[in-house]
Amino acid sequence: MSQDERVSVFETAAAQFDRAAELIGLDDETQLLLKTPFREMKVELPIRRDDGSLGVWQGYRVQFNGSRGPFKGGIRYHHDVDMDEVRGLSTLMAWKTALVDIPFGGGKGGITVNVKELSVYELERLTRKFIARIGHILGPYRDVPAPDVNTNAQVMAWIFDEYSSRHGYAPACVTGKPLAMGGSPGREAATGRGAVMVFEEVAKREGWDPKTMTVAIQGFGNVGSFAARFIMELGVKVVAISGSRGAYFNGDGIDIEAAVAHRKETGTLEGLGGVEQITNEELLALDVDILLPAALGGAIHAGNAPNVKARVILEAANAPATEEGENILVEGGNVMLIPDVLASSGGVTVSYFEWVQNIQQFGWDEGRVNNELGKIMSRATSEVYELAEEKQMSLRTAAFILAIERIAEAERLRGL
Ligand code: NAD
């Protein structure tokens, strides 16, 4: 990814905010309050490598807006992470939590690191050092991290342990934990499941028949692999999937369970049987009904958007399209873009359920989690869809308006 594309995560989010704020005539002072991060922290993370040498990485946490509740947002481990990206992703979290109307604000964190270069012991030490350095701004009622790219339930368990060793037992200090440590059933699958629930609601309103549709999925990690399973259950044919090193196509439909098993066993999609290898760019240009980005930000940009043939873009990833890329996609009015703030909000919604269960010390079963998730996804999608129809605007702008109005009201009520 080029620097230009990376910078766009924050710029893209800011442009989306400006468009919606202008449409509702949001006054300048409130615009300023809603565009300014509450707190940004950068920390140095020195650890001993396994060979005894010193390694130093940089970590970030941005707490963007907390007027509606504790800051909430994932922690990403990736070599492209920088303050601008974390800040951009933290703004999206604020809009997302407000849109689904859960009592959280928005935050995000990350470490600039290539996880493939670290052993599991080094990764644990790095995670613990990060929490040691930012732990004083975290907590169940301050800021609650969660998984994101290259972090998982194990990383959340280290975060929980490190935080609790300093502040006392506090399972609600982080979500996305393993079940054995206060995690919630259904959390791992929640972002993929939520994206498909949103799609199902839109499909119903648009009169689409999922059984006649095809999808190409970019990224086959947590979000992409679960989205693949659930969208297949609706009858949509998954014809392509991809990882960072390549994409795989089968016009008759990919065997998703085999792909999940292969990746689990080998750590990669390479060598998967029954598929034709194509390039990542070819996947984006496939003649499919739905394109489901579930990898990194800026994947669809001015350079490749003209090649996209899908008429539905289901943004399960955060900020997968740049502003320019999106403008090209929706030009002509034939493409329906279901925006990230809505389509990728299932994870944070079940994180909220996990936090509630931890605070109440009362566990829910998976049926209850999925049922409550369905209610929230359906309500949020209906609100966005109906506002967009009424005002003849994009789903993204409608989603931003709903979110901005909720945060603006909380800011006004709190006062300065
Ligand atoms: P993950 O690390 O589990 O998976 C990311 C996947 O993307 C990997 O399979 C990786 O190989 C692939 N990938 C990376 N670069 C690629 C490229 N250029 N082309 C194709 N594939 C590529 O991460 P995740 O948790 O699934 O997150 C994916 C996206 O969803 C991110 O944008 C993240 O911010 C967003 N998201 C995640 C959650 C969550 O609960 N995990 C919640 C909301 C949004």
Side-chain angles (χ1 to χ4, degrees), residues 72-256:
K72 187 89 191 80
I75 292 185
R76 176 176 292 197
Y77 289 176
H78 196 272
H79 51 83
D80 278 342
V81 163
D82 59 17
M83 185 63 94
D84 184 88
E85 180 180 81
V86 174
R87 186 186 299 128
L89 292 168
S90 76
T91 72
L92 289 179
M93 287 308 299
W95 315 133
K96 212 181 274 191
T97 52
L99 177 64
V100 291
D101 207 4
I102 55 178
F104 284 126
K108 199 82 185 187
I111 301 179
T112 316
V113 60
N114 183 350
V115 287
K116 293 191 177 116
E117 288 171 3
L118 268 68
S119 74
V120 69
Y121 306 109
E122 291 170 334
L123 208 58
E124 177 176 349
R125 286 199 288 280
L126 187 63
T127 303
R128 290 187 184 278
K129 182 68 79 173
F130 188 37
I131 297 311
R133 301 239 154 145
I134 68 165
H136 59 292
I137 62 164
L138 302 180
Y141 297 105
R142 285 179 191 274
D143 184 348
V144 186
D148 193 74
V149 173
N150 290 329
T151 58
N152 56 19
Q154 175 60 74
V155 177
M156 300 306 116
W158 294 328
I159 292 177
F160 168 40
D161 186 63
E162 189 65 29
Y163 182 87
S164 294
S165 71
R166 289 156 193 273
H167 302 272
Y169 176 70
C173 73
V174 61
T175 59
K177 298 178 294 294
L179 278 179
M181 290 189 73
S184 177
R187 172 61 185 90
E188 208 191 347
T191 307
R193 187 189 293 278
V196 175
M197 286 169 162
V198 168
F199 168 77
E200 195 177 2
E201 184 71 37
V202 173
K204 209 161 56 187
R205 288 166 178 269
E206 290 286 316
W208 300 331
D209 177 5
K211 293 190 180 61
T212 64
M213 300 176 89
T214 52
V215 62
I217 299 180
Q218 183 202 38
F220 200 68
N222 170 285
V223 177
S225 61
F226 280 107
R229 287 177 173 141
F230 296 125
I231 206 157
M232 211 175 64
E233 282 173 17
L234 285 185
V236 177
K237 198 188 287 176
V238 182
V239 296
I241 56 176
S242 65
S244 53
R245 286 184 236 157
Y248 306 89
F249 173 81
N250 182 338
D252 295 326
I254 291 177
D255 181 344
I256 295 302

